[in-house]
Amino acid sequence: MKETKIFEKPKSMVDVTTHYCPGCTHGVAHRLVAEIIDELGIQEKTVAVAPVGCAVFLYNYINVDAYEAAHGRAPAVASACKRLLPDHIVFSYQGDGDLASIGMAEIVHAANRGEHITVVFLNNAIYGMTGGQMAPTTLVGQKATTCPLGRDPKLAGYPIRMCEMLSTLQAPAYIARVSVAKPKYTLKAKEALRKAFQTQIDGKGFSFVEILSTCPTNWGLRPVDATNWLEEHMMPEFPLGEFKTPA
Amino acid sequence: MGKRFLMKGNEALAEAAIHAGCKYFFGYPITPQNEIPEYMSKKLPEIGGVYLQAESEVAAINMIFGAAGTGKRVMTSSSSPGVSLMSEGISYIAGAELPCVLMNIMRGGPGLGGILPSQSDYFQATRGGGHGDYRLLVLAPSTVQEAVDLTMLAFDLAEKYRSPVMILADGFMGQMMEAVEFNETHMDGLPDPAEWAVGYMKQRGSRALVKSLYLDPEELEAHNWKLQAKYAEMTKNEKRHESYLADDAEILIAAYGTVARIARTAINELRAEGVKVGLFRPISLFPFPYEPLEALPKSVKQILTVEMSCGQMIEDIRLGVGKDMPVSMYGRVGGMTPSVEEIKDQVRKALGR
């Protein structure tokens, strides 16, 4: 009987166990990025910029040249790297605390300059690594360790919608929001990531993919319940779709 | 002698960096160093380089982190409050062992302070500024020509030690005009960036990691000892100072940067009156040249430290001379400058004349 291989680990993915919690979707997002790197044949000329947060060890899982940036500053690191190595493909991978809170200035200005980088933005509406504190993306009423009664918009404002905000800028070329909570979303997420990296390869400018993700541990939900919670609560607040596509 | 140019200090610093092979500048406007980024924004695109105005000093220093990680010659410049904002990033750069040149054209502090010349960032430059056990190699020029020469040296030293190097000057040095020439120097045996920088994965056959994160305490301790060994090497090899009329002096003025040249004039005038006074001028502030202070000429009975601060370098002078040598301090701060007359009066007072 002839055997056909239909599934294998991406070549640019390191063969180790990740440190992510059960049910966390970072692993899926990592894998999608690695698959795209393989499919585009760019492993040896790709540079990753890891954030501070759960994805701090991104470089332990994806085998490309990499920086570990200071908290929130990945877009500044990536901007400079790309300017000096224009033939390389440079991406940052950041969570919502890193990108939408401490790193808000860096992401807005990198986008506004139209830097030829790709930003992968994992939004799970909470600080994961530090143990479940309120994030700028935490939903109204959602409980976190620093808003134990739920986010009160009178005190803490409302969730920041990064895709919508960045889409007001003229320079960005590709902006999309996807999810990896369930397979039907994951397939679309991969296509968005492909477009984002292709945008950079084609020299069309700044690309940004927000991935709605689960954090079962800090949400206090079982993994399957977390995927349902994401669909029911996060998706209405953060609608999926493409906000900008290259001309 | 090479061709001489009449240049403002800030512009000469920028031109010296270009002569040293620096094609990449990231910075944020702040007085009194704006001529550096302005000069770079005009010149670097002409030579195929990159000038990028960051959204803040925080972003600028992290751009330096990204740029230096490619192994190319990169720099930023700022002034006191801006350097405070950069200090976190400088710690990351030191931790990740990235070569780059930083320029601090000091102004008066603390806080927003003022925009006039000062030397009150000595502690910040030589004692860290940012968090963690790291050191910057700090060079303090006292003429525009020396600023040019030290800038060229700074890029070589940054690569040699894979470490950030700071040019510590003040607003006077940045704003004054002097004749300078650009004598390019090249240090041999510098490490090849292809061995460690990003961008060489194909050539090297393995990827590069630029990081300061070591979560395993044993690894982090080992990393710290490795850095310390490097600082010990710097201390052994890179101490620089100048002595002027020190051999028969009864009193030595200790001063660096702009203040040292004011002191030199005071010394010349006092010598004409028969006062035996000399100068000790550290050029490297880290590593600090302690040895000349440990072996002072027998004639020297006391030291007068003069600074545009409330007394910062004096701590290194005391460390050098030990507890038996009297050390006094004269400082002007906030953008005020010690005059030749004031320094002469201080020397006479110290000698009881």
Side-chain angles (χ1 to χ4, degrees):
Chain A
M1 196 176 107
K2 187 168 173 280
E3 286 186 11
T4 310
K5 189 187 262 187
I6 56 166
F7 188 83
E8 63 181 332
K9 187 176 68 65
K11 186 165 65 72
S12 54
M13 198 126 203
V14 182
D15 194 12
V16 292
T17 305
T18 73
H19 69 288
Y20 295 116
C21 303
C24 167
T25 42
H26 264 301
V28 179
H30 283 18
R31 182 184 166 105
L32 293 183
V33 170
E35 285 180 1
I36 295 296
I37 290 171
D38 281 5
E39 288 167 22
L40 295 172
I42 54 174
Q43 183 185 5
E44 288 176 332
K45 59 171 187 172
T46 296
V47 183
V49 185
V52 171
C54 286
V56 69
F57 289 129
L58 175 76
Y59 50 79
N60 285 347
Y61 309 132
I62 300 182
N63 184 25
V64 294
D65 274 346
Y67 295 86
E68 166 43 44
H71 199 18
R73 316 303 172 209
V77 173
S79 295
C81 178
K82 179 70 180 187
R83 296 257 183 157
L84 270 64
L85 302 175
D87 60 333
H88 278 62
I89 305 304
V90 183
F91 76 97
S92 72
Y93 183 112
Q94 306 172 252
D96 39 309
D98 191 82
L99 182 139
S101 189
I102 194 169
M104 182 60 95
E106 283 74 16
I107 187 61
V108 169
H109 285 276
N112 191 47
R113 289 190 303 267
E115 296 288 348
H116 289 212
I117 61 171
T118 299
V119 175
V120 181
F121 169 43
L122 265 276
N123 176 2
N124 57 15
I126 207 155
Y127 279 76
M129 189 178 70
T130 47
Q133 293 82 12
M134 184 178 66
T137 44
T138 295
L139 305 185
V140 169
Q142 183 187 341
K143 288 177 181 169
T145 57
T146 49
C147 55
L149 302 179
R151 182 176 187 162
D152 178 355
K154 289 198 195 75
L155 299 173
Y158 295 85
I160 295 178
R161 298 187 184 103
M162 287 306 304
C163 285
E164 287 82 345
M165 207 174 123
L166 294 178
S167 294
T168 65
L169 303 172
Q170 205 173 328
Y174 183 73
I175 296 178
R177 184 182 289 123
V178 296
S179 179
V180 287
K182 293 185 176 175
K184 61 178 175 179
Y185 303 120
T186 303
L187 292 172
K188 286 188 178 171
K190 183 170 177 184
E191 283 321 297
L193 286 166
R194 187 194 309 280
K195 282 188 193 173
F197 278 88
Q198 194 63 48
T199 296
Q200 183 177 167
I201 291 168
D202 294 344
K204 289 182 174 165
F206 181 84
S207 51
F208 183 90
V209 178
E210 175 175 342
I211 303 178
L212 301 185
S213 303
T214 59
C215 183
T217 299
N218 288 304
W219 291 356
L221 294 173
R222 289 180 298 181
V224 174
D225 295 338
T227 59
N228 292 331
W229 190 89
L230 187 154
E231 266 184 320
E232 284 164 28
H233 295 93
M234 282 184 77
M235 284 190 183
E237 185 68 36
F238 301 109
L240 305 188
E242 290 184 326
F243 294 80
K244 281 193 115 178
T245 52
Chain B
M1 201 154 79
K3 194 174 174 197
R4 287 166 71 79
F5 303 86
L6 181 65
M7 290 184 90
K8 208 178 208 188
N10 280 334
E11 291 174 346
L13 283 163
E15 184 61 34
I18 293 170
H19 275 270
C22 171
K23 288 165 68 180
Y24 308 100
F25 182 96
F26 303 84
Y28 185 83
I30 185 170
T31 306
Q33 62 80 56
N34 291 316
E35 292 83 357
I36 301 175
E38 285 166 0
Y39 194 89
M40 291 305 205
S41 71
K42 181 169 184 293
K43 294 282 178 172
L44 291 181
E46 293 172 5
I47 57 168
V50 172
Y51 165 83
L52 181 54
Q53 183 164 316
E55 58 271 27
S56 67
E57 285 92 349
V58 174
I61 197 65
N62 284 283
M63 288 173 180
I64 292 291
F65 184 90
T70 69
K72 299 179 195 294
R73 292 196 158 186
V74 305
M75 71 165 282
T76 188
S77 62
S78 190
S79 181
S80 310
V83 176
S84 292
L85 275 174
M86 289 183 177
S87 293
E88 182 204 32
I90 295 172
S91 167
Y92 279 67
I93 288 168
E97 299 191 84
L98 301 180
C100 63
V101 171
L102 319 164
M103 294 178 178
N104 181 0
I105 311 301
M106 290 180 281
R107 57 188 250 184
L112 201 48
I115 60 169
L116 291 176
S118 171
Q119 294 180 323
S120 51
D121 302 346
Y122 183 94
F123 285 156
Q124 185 192 53
T126 62
R127 266 63 175 169
H131 58 285
D133 270 317
Y134 77 92
R135 293 288 198 164
L136 296 178
L137 222 151
V138 184
L139 303 172
S142 87
T143 66
V144 178
Q145 182 63 57
E146 192 178 35
V148 166
D149 298 339
L150 290 179
T151 295
M152 293 191 199
L153 175 68
F155 281 95
D156 283 344
L157 293 178
E159 281 186 16
K160 179 178 176 184
Y161 294 101
R162 274 184 59 192
S163 176
V165 178
M166 178 176 275
I167 300 288
L168 189 69
D170 60 64
F172 276 117
M173 294 293 307
Q175 297 298 323
M176 71 170 73
M177 290 186 86
E178 284 188 299
V180 290
E181 55 186 88
F182 297 90
N183 300 310
E184 292 181 18
T185 55
H186 298 283
M187 202 174 271
D188 292 330
L190 295 174
D192 181 359
E195 290 168 13
W196 61 268
V198 305
Y200 298 91
M201 188 173 178
K202 189 167 188 178
Q203 177 183 334
R204 193 170 40 225
S206 63
R207 58 91 169 266
L209 269 184
V210 174
K211 65 174 184 123
S212 60
L213 176 69
Y214 297 86
L215 272 189
D216 177 339
E218 287 184 9
E219 266 188 65
L220 182 55
E221 186 180 49
H223 177 60
N224 265 279
W225 291 130
K226 183 185 164 208
L227 293 178
Q228 291 303 315
K230 189 162 78 174
Y231 303 142
E233 271 301 292
M234 288 178 189
T235 302
K236 196 173 86 190
N237 301 331
E238 308 304 342
K239 282 182 275 203
R240 288 169 170 81
H241 80 284
E242 182 197 22
S243 290
Y244 177 65
L245 302 180
D247 287 345
D248 66 339
E250 287 176 56
I251 179 168
L252 270 191
I253 296 175
Y256 72 97
T258 295
V259 177
R261 52 196 292 168
I262 303 170
R264 188 185 287 262
T265 305
I267 288 165
N268 289 340
E269 293 183 15
L270 286 165
R271 281 274 174 179
E273 297 170 15
V275 180
K276 289 190 173 170
V277 53
L279 176 70
F280 171 73
R281 177 172 78 90
I283 298 169
S284 59
L285 303 183
F286 180 84
F288 193 86
Y290 294 112
E291 285 80 357
L293 297 173
E294 290 161 1
L296 287 171
K298 287 269 179 290
S299 58
V300 176
K301 299 291 182 267
Q302 59 171 308
I303 311 262
L304 170 65
T305 303
V306 187
E307 301 177 49
M308 288 193 288
S309 82
C310 296
Q312 299 195 15
M313 183 190 66
I314 189 172
E315 295 198 357
D316 277 321
I317 299 297
R318 286 206 170 107
L319 277 174
V321 298
K323 61 181 171 45
D324 296 331
M325 176 68 69
V327 181
S328 57
M329 165 75 202
Y330 182 68
R332 295 297 304 270
V333 290
M336 299 301 289
T337 313
S339 69
V340 171
E341 283 309 315
E342 284 168 24
I343 294 175
K344 284 161 68 179
D345 286 346
Q346 290 298 318
V347 170
R348 291 193 193 101
K349 198 172 113 192
L351 293 171
R353 290 177 198 169

